[in-house]
Amino acid sequence: MPTTETTDNTATLHRFHSAVNSGDPDTVLNAIDEFVAPDVRFHAPVPMGETGAKALKQVWDVLLRAFPDIHVTIEETVAEGDKVVSRNTVTGTHRGEYRGLAPTGRAVTYGEIFVFRFVDGRIAEIRGVVDVLTQLRQLGALPS
């Protein structure tokens, strides 16, 4: 049976994903400020050089420039205690430089799974697995 905490945390995650799917960089940055702790611990394939919410902002800056139509579809969420797990499908069109690749105009579809830990209603830790191999194959950066 869901608790108020798990229900609230899941709702927060859905609001965050809604902002991400806006495609508007300012909306995404504001959502990070609202829903993510400034010192969030971020364990995922991210650009090195920043930590905390700044690293997450850098990730979304790169993604929005490379895939301006990026869309994260939440396939399922599971919540327990202070954690929410989200299995997602990500789609987008490669319109800007990404990982050293010039824009290809190719569409990508790949999966990801993230575990979000919440503290006081904000995302305090993120652990993620992103299918970058599929993404890079679809962009032609790796052989099929």
Side-chain angles (χ1 to χ4, degrees):
M1 175 154 268
T3 65
T4 301
E5 177 186 32
T6 59
T7 300
D8 289 350
N9 291 344
T10 301
T12 297
L13 182 60
H14 283 272
R15 287 195 307 276
F16 178 69
H17 274 110
S18 180
V20 163
N21 285 331
S22 72
D24 177 57
D26 290 333
T27 299
V28 174
L29 295 179
N30 290 335
I32 291 170
D33 288 337
E34 180 178 354
F35 301 123
V36 178
D39 60 346
V40 64
R41 294 182 59 211
F42 196 22
H43 313 276
V46 300
M48 304 320 284
E50 293 292 349
T51 59
K54 287 182 181 179
L56 189 57
K57 287 178 179 182
Q58 187 177 11
V59 165
W60 278 103
D61 179 59
V62 167
L63 288 172
L64 288 169
R65 278 189 284 114
F67 306 97
D69 62 344
I70 194 167
H71 186 82
V72 179
T73 300
I74 298 173
E75 303 295 349
E76 65 183 311
T77 56
V78 177
E80 183 177 313
D82 62 352
K83 293 185 177 80
V84 179
V85 178
S86 179
R87 182 180 62 83
N88 310 316
T89 299
V90 181
T91 58
T93 309
H94 185 213
R95 303 258 183 238
E97 185 276 329
Y98 181 68
R99 295 182 179 249
L101 295 172
T104 62
R106 293 181 179 183
V108 296
T109 300
Y110 58 94
E112 62 182 19
I113 298 173
F114 281 92
V115 179
F116 299 89
R117 185 176 60 82
F118 286 78
V119 173
D120 298 326
R122 295 178 85 185
I123 299 168
E125 187 169 12
I126 303 169
R127 294 187 180 275
V129 178
V130 178
D131 189 356
V132 176
L133 183 62
T134 293
Q135 179 194 67
L136 292 175
R137 281 183 174 153
Q138 292 172 1
L139 294 175
L142 298 173
S144 302

